[in-house]
Amino acid sequence: MDFDLTEEQRLLRDAVERLVAEEYDFDKRKAYAQEPAGFSPARWAQYAELGLLGLPFPEALGGVGGTPVETMLVMEAFGRGLVLEPYLATVVLGGGLLLLGGSAAQQQEMVPEIARGRLRLAFAFGERQARYDLADVATTATAAAGGGFVLSGAKGVVLHGDSADRLIVTARTAGGPREREGISLFLVDAQAAGVTVRGYPTVDGLRAAEIAFREVRLGPEALLGPRDHGLDLAERAIDLGIAAVAAEAVGAMSALHELTIDYLKTRKQFGVAIGSFQALQHRAVDMFVALEQARSMSYLATMMAEAEDALQRRRMLSAAKVQIGRSARFLGQQAIQLHGGVGMTMEYKAGHYFKRLAMIDTLFGDADHHLALVAESGGLIDAA
Amino acid sequence: MDLRFTPEEIAFREEVRRFFREALPESIRRKMVDGRHLDKADIVAWQRILNARGWAVPDWPVEWGGTGWTPVQRYIFQEEMQQAPAPQPLGFGVNMVGPVIIAFGSEAQKRHYLPRIRNIDDWWCQGFSEPGSGSDLASLKTRAERVGDHYLVNGQKTWTTLAQHADMIFCLVRTNPRVKKQEGISFLLIDMKSPGITVRPIVTMDGGAEVNEVFFDDVEVPAENLVGEEGKGWDYAKFLLGHERTGIARVGVSKQRIRRLKELAALEPAGGGRRMIDDRRFREKIAAIEVELKALEMTQLRVVSAERQGRSKKPDPASSILKLKGSEIQQAVSELLMEVVGPYAMPYQPDEEGWNEPPIGADYAGPLAPTYFNWRKISIYGGSNEIQRNIVAKAILGL
Ligand SMILES: Cc1cc2nc3c(=O)[nH]c(=O)nc-3n(C[C@H](O)[C@H](O)[C@H](O)COP(=O)(O)OP(=O)(O)OC[C@H]3O[C@@H](n4cnc5c(N)ncnc54)[C@H](O)[C@@H]3O)c2cc1C
């Protein structure tokens, strides 16, 4: 049992926290959001230089050989800064899928490019009718002559789908529209004929896209992972994503909590700091408890993210997502409440944390969705 | 004890319902249902329709255009209006400054302002809060000095809702800094076109433009714009803040939003070929709110009934209970309205005139997350929920 960081991990954390403190204050973030891509290409290049874009990849592929703990440290710092760059989409999900399911050729072609900051990916798994059900895939890839495929369908709310060079798309190669079996993953060039990308800002200031595929022709090398049995792969990548956003949420929550505590100490009403009111002290404590519960589950998610036992892994990741969703909802709402009118404004950072936390709940399934998964899998503790 | 409305009350409800069905412009109703932004023209048009029917200010005394309805009738009217769903007449005029002028204003003020409030010829806004004075309103600093036949006003108000549309602002100002803070406050009516007034918008986190800062720089206000007596402004403000009792819980609004939620849950896919309404857990979450809302409705009816018995003419602390629970319920419904669309809460879709892009996801999804964000205000404004709890603790529980 050891929750301590290694020396290297501490250095990494300090470096990323410093980077966020220096390059990601509120005004800079606002300016980055105004750039054409909706984030800062300069920061992206800097992440590449610092090795962050190769963090989870083996050294042989141009990476640093980090574990989920390193990813957690980065995401937590990014959460504090409300970082806009597509780290989750490209490095965690895209890179994760390549490492978990890619052929040697695919890995060698793409992973070093990601690490250098020259290739961006997005994982297009959601569909309008599916809500949070990963197996509900109506997009089809039918076999074509020469071993290739023809891809047709539509994907929705694809994170950073509008700035990706390549998309990784779940599609049905066999089976009925909602079966677990029969799903395969494909690498698709975002510029390919028949691909239409409609990008848009999200309510928390990031970017996403609706993407349509009309008879997009793919070569046999486009297949990523096993044909017809791609759902396990997708789920493993999503679990990496859940661990990452759990850490991001913890970063955002702790920054928001600190902001609130500062405000309680400095805002005066009735001639005293409002933090002297016991009602508010207790609320701040409840928020702190919610934060620490979330932090614990973020650690659990990180430690379980690569577990071999799929059932155990998925249960724990779902449990983490439930806790994160609930803590974030409570802490976010109370932070706004304790700020009074100031918390409601666009000009103040609290609202931006609040919005990001609300949207993290909708990523990869909300708290209700994952609570149902936990319950249906028998819960976390076996009956006596 | 009898829960039923009398036959007369039922007939009245039918009459009111029919009126809302026939008189409410469809474009306004649609915006209300969709939770989209109403512009000034919508609010003015609707209040004028109400006024033409004689129903813009039911609570006012009959001589100033009130309807003379019983508390139960007023309750029914409110409830039906919220469920139509129709916009409320502009509260700053009808429920706030109007009753203050009626109770404490001069004859000239009554004759000039009251008809204009009814017909929304003047758009009023509320200048109470200041940067340093929110919950602790009595600490306000905006200064009004008597100079000959006018007051000279200097200072700043903030969070002023819809000041950008306003013709008039009613303000709490400090006329005497030398006495106890509550006793040095006066209630002034100020023309927004006066030289020296600057309005600066504050954008809320949902992107909305509904609140403002209002700056006063040597603004001359005729002395006749003082309401009542100098130094009594605090009493008038307390009267104003406690005045509206039955509307405060917004039970009708929550009912209407729950209806909308169920409508969307029947449309919204839940994955696996099901709809959200097929999801038992989601239905239970809605039902839990419905139970709370029913209890609140009963609580509200108890308040209405007590009012009918004439038991409490003064604002009573029960209104704090209505505000507390009413705000929590509205916020809970807004959460489910965001959750119901799942990932499609995410796309940002401007709610603007002239925005013609096809919707992302369902056409109803756009306003749902922004409304959730925006409705956090309900537990902050009009006396925050913490302040309401303080009131109950003190005034009801004697703690
Ligand atoms: C959208 C919106 C519209 C508004 N419209 C108007 C308007 O048109 N006109 C107008 O005059 N004002 C308006 N307001 C202002 C509103 O009335 C104030 O925001 C409110 O009174 C709270 O004041 P504050 O924002 O300064 O918060 P503060 O008073 O600084 O409160 C901060 C936090 O401390 C808590 N707190 C304060 N005192 C105590 C205490 N004694 N015990 C326990 N907790 C306490 C509060 O509950 C809150 O959580 C509006 C506000 C909003 C958000």
Side-chain angles (χ1 to χ4, degrees):
Chain A
M1 181 68 25
D2 180 7
F3 286 99
D4 293 334
L5 300 178
T6 65
E7 183 59 23
E8 290 86 53
Q9 287 168 340
R10 263 200 301 276
L11 288 173
L12 170 70
R13 185 192 58 195
D14 294 348
V16 185
E17 281 181 356
R18 200 168 336 107
L19 167 78
V20 167
E22 283 166 8
E23 301 293 350
Y24 242 96
D25 68 32
F26 191 48
D27 289 328
K28 284 188 175 155
R29 178 182 189 261
K30 210 164 19 171
Y32 300 155
Q34 298 304 316
E35 297 204 30
F39 59 84
S40 164
R43 293 288 74 76
W44 193 249
Q46 192 182 10
Y47 303 156
E49 252 166 58
L50 288 171
L52 301 184
L53 301 187
L55 200 57
F57 310 141
E59 286 168 31
L61 291 171
V64 180
T67 68
V69 175
E70 279 76 18
T71 303
M72 176 186 86
L73 297 173
V74 171
M75 289 304 293
E76 198 175 317
F78 280 5
R80 297 187 69 87
L82 290 170
V83 163
L84 300 166
E85 284 71 39
Y87 194 83
L88 175 66
T90 295
V91 177
V92 178
L93 296 173
L97 285 163
L98 284 170
L99 283 195
L100 293 169
S103 66
Q106 285 168 332
Q107 292 180 350
Q108 273 150 21
E109 183 199 344
M110 283 174 273
V111 174
E113 288 295 285
I114 295 177
R116 284 194 200 102
R118 294 206 296 236
L119 177 71
R120 283 196 290 266
L121 302 176
F123 186 19
F125 60 87
E127 297 189 2
R128 174 77 184 98
Q129 82 291 342
R131 193 172 166 91
Y132 298 127
D133 184 352
L134 287 174
D136 190 336
V137 174
T139 298
T140 56
T142 43
F149 300 86
V150 178
L151 182 72
S152 289
K155 295 289 174 177
V157 200
V158 179
L159 297 177
H160 283 111
D162 59 342
S163 56
D165 305 296
R166 288 193 197 182
L167 308 165
I168 299 173
V169 184
T170 55
R172 196 155 279 293
T173 38
R178 289 162 210 133
E179 280 172 32
R180 279 189 67 87
E181 289 303 306
I183 293 170
S184 309
L185 273 59
F186 295 93
L187 278 152
V188 182
D189 194 321
Q191 306 291 326
V195 179
T196 335
V197 177
R198 180 182 177 196
Y200 48 80
T202 53
V203 291
D204 54 358
L206 276 73
R207 301 281 307 179
E210 302 297 288
I211 305 182
F213 305 93
R214 192 172 312 130
E215 297 187 14
V216 180
R217 312 215 148 255
L218 303 173
E221 74 288 350
L223 182 68
L224 175 68
R227 182 171 171 170
D228 296 346
H229 307 295
L231 191 61
D232 285 343
L233 173 58
E235 284 175 348
R236 288 174 72 188
I238 294 287
D239 284 350
L240 292 174
I242 290 176
V245 293
E248 183 188 351
V250 166
M253 277 189 261
S254 50
L256 180 54
H257 192 252
E258 285 161 25
L259 200 61
T260 307
I261 297 300
D262 272 354
Y263 196 74
L264 293 179
K265 288 179 179 166
T266 48
R267 170 70 172 170
K268 289 211 163 96
Q269 290 288 276
F270 306 99
V272 294
I274 56 174
S276 65
F277 301 129
Q278 206 162 51
L280 302 193
Q281 290 171 359
H282 286 187
R283 199 85 54 82
V285 171
D286 290 342
M287 291 163 70
F288 186 63
V289 172
L291 165 62
E292 290 308 318
Q293 289 284 85
R295 191 189 304 281
S296 299
M297 289 306 257
S298 157
Y299 291 169
L300 177 70
T302 296
M303 290 184 284
M304 293 299 293
E306 292 185 335
E308 283 307 319
D309 178 343
L311 180 68
Q312 198 60 356
R313 186 196 81 227
R314 303 219 62 221
R315 262 188 210 172
M316 293 304 172
L317 270 292
S318 283
K321 195 65 175 41
V322 172
Q323 183 64 50
I324 293 290
R326 300 200 156 178
S327 287
R329 171 95 29 118
F330 174 74
L331 192 147
Q333 291 178 347
Q334 294 308 324
I336 301 302
Q337 182 69 22
L338 297 196
H339 277 88
V342 169
M344 289 295 304
T345 65
M346 193 70 112
E347 281 307 302
Y348 190 70
K349 205 166 181 181
H352 296 267
Y353 285 117
F354 172 67
K355 290 189 284 185
R356 178 65 190 145
L357 288 169
M359 289 306 110
I360 283 178
D361 191 42
T362 74
L363 294 182
F364 314 127
D366 62 14
D368 285 357
H369 173 82
H370 283 285
L371 187 63
L373 293 182
V374 172
E376 278 153 25
S377 73
L380 306 181
I381 299 168
D382 292 334
Chain B
M1 279 205 154
D2 187 353
L3 254 184
R4 287 164 303 181
F5 286 137
T6 64
E8 294 76 37
E9 285 162 350
I10 290 171
F12 175 74
R13 190 176 62 193
E14 279 317 305
E15 181 190 357
V16 169
R17 240 179 228 176
R18 188 165 356 96
F19 172 74
F20 286 131
R21 211 165 37 235
E22 289 164 7
L24 178 63
E26 176 56 22
S27 64
I28 297 180
R29 196 190 68 87
R30 197 63 244 170
K31 284 187 190 177
M32 292 290 294
V33 169
D34 292 344
R36 289 184 195 281
H37 166 79
L38 294 180
D39 46 34
K40 181 178 183 178
D42 294 326
I43 292 168
V44 169
W46 172 239
Q47 189 166 327
R48 291 194 175 153
I49 292 170
L50 280 174
N51 193 35
R53 179 69 180 77
W55 287 356
V57 290
D59 297 8
W60 289 12
V62 174
E63 60 165 322
W64 294 112
T67 52
W69 288 337
T70 64
V72 175
Q73 282 178 303
R74 297 209 306 257
Y75 166 80
I76 289 172
F77 178 74
Q78 230 355 305
E79 175 84 3
E80 291 300 321
M81 181 156 61
Q82 291 178 347
Q83 290 196 64
Q88 306 274 356
L90 189 69
F92 305 113
V94 171
N95 301 324
M96 294 183 178
V97 74
V100 168
I101 291 175
I102 290 168
F104 310 106
S106 67
E107 268 316 294
Q109 286 169 345
K110 291 180 194 174
R111 272 198 308 278
H112 177 72
Y113 291 116
L114 295 179
R116 300 177 61 80
I117 290 173
R118 258 185 354 242
N119 201 46
I120 198 164
D121 295 331
D122 293 324
W123 184 293
W124 282 88
C125 63
Q126 179 190 18
F128 279 16
S129 306
E130 299 181 5
S133 307
S135 299
D136 181 16
L137 190 55
S139 68
L140 60 92
K141 291 200 177 65
T142 297
R143 188 77 174 90
E145 272 175 282
R146 182 70 186 253
V147 185
D149 62 353
H150 64 263
Y151 288 95
L152 200 59
V153 179
N154 280 289
Q156 184 198 342
K157 296 295 175 180
T158 192
W159 313 122
T160 322
T161 298
L162 301 180
Q164 72 267 35
H165 300 328
D167 304 297
M168 295 292 297
I169 181 168
F170 57 93
C171 284
L172 292 182
V173 291
R174 189 157 302 283
T175 39
N176 186 351
R178 282 169 302 276
V179 293
K180 204 173 140 232
K181 60 183 182 176
Q182 284 84 355
E183 286 160 14
I185 295 172
S186 301
F187 198 107
L188 270 190
L189 312 177
I190 305 179
D191 187 334
M192 288 293 283
K193 286 182 293 294
S194 313
I197 293 186
T198 317
V199 176
R200 212 156 60 197
I202 302 172
V203 179
T204 47
M205 64 166 136
D206 55 302
E210 62 183 68
V211 285
N212 302 271
E213 297 176 289
V214 181
F215 298 89
F216 299 84
D217 182 13
D218 279 341
V219 176
E220 287 186 21
V221 180
E224 73 238 31
N225 284 20
L226 175 75
V227 174
E229 291 173 48
E230 226 184 70
K232 287 273 159 59
W234 186 249
D235 294 341
Y236 307 157
K238 276 201 302 198
F239 167 87
L240 176 157
L241 293 172
H243 184 264
E244 203 196 21
R245 224 166 317 171
T246 47
I248 205 169
R250 306 223 304 170
V251 169
V253 171
S254 290
K255 280 188 188 169
Q256 193 278 331
R257 292 324 283 161
I258 288 172
R259 244 178 236 130
R260 175 70 170 165
L261 172 61
K262 289 180 174 178
E263 181 189 6
L264 300 191
L267 294 169
E268 204 40 39
R274 297 176 319 139
R275 303 275 141 189
M276 284 305 285
I277 202 71
D278 304 326
D279 181 338
R280 189 191 168 97
R281 276 179 306 271
F282 197 71
R283 284 205 311 274
E284 284 178 354
K285 282 176 78 166
I286 303 176
I289 300 178
E290 289 178 77
V291 172
E292 289 268 0
L293 183 60
K294 179 50 84 181
L296 182 64
E297 186 179 14
M298 292 302 298
T299 305
Q300 172 160 307
L301 285 167
R302 285 166 54 204
V303 174
V304 168
S305 161
E307 216 176 320
R308 193 186 48 188
Q309 319 287 333
R311 259 186 245 143
S312 58
K313 279 267 182 286
K314 288 201 319 245
D316 80 61
S319 62
S320 291
I321 299 178
L322 298 179
K323 167 89 197 311
L324 267 176
K325 206 67 220 178
S327 61
E328 286 173 4
I329 290 173
Q330 289 172 73
Q331 291 177 333
V333 181
S334 78
E335 278 181 46
L336 292 196
L337 272 161
M338 172 177 71
E339 285 177 17
V340 74
V341 291
Y344 280 90
M346 271 201 126
Y348 175 70
Q349 312 198 50
D351 175 18
E352 286 163 11
E353 218 65 55
W355 175 259
N356 282 323
E357 301 284 318
I360 299 157
D363 60 0
Y364 48 74
L368 299 177
T371 302
Y372 164 67
F373 302 150
N374 181 274
W375 279 22
R376 300 314 305 171
K377 72 187 177 188
I378 301 176
S379 51
I380 295 172
Y381 64 33
S384 73
N385 280 16
E386 289 72 28
I387 295 299
Q388 303 295 347
R389 288 188 182 96
N390 289 347
I391 293 172
V392 175
K394 242 205 200 122
I396 300 185
L397 307 182
L399 293 171

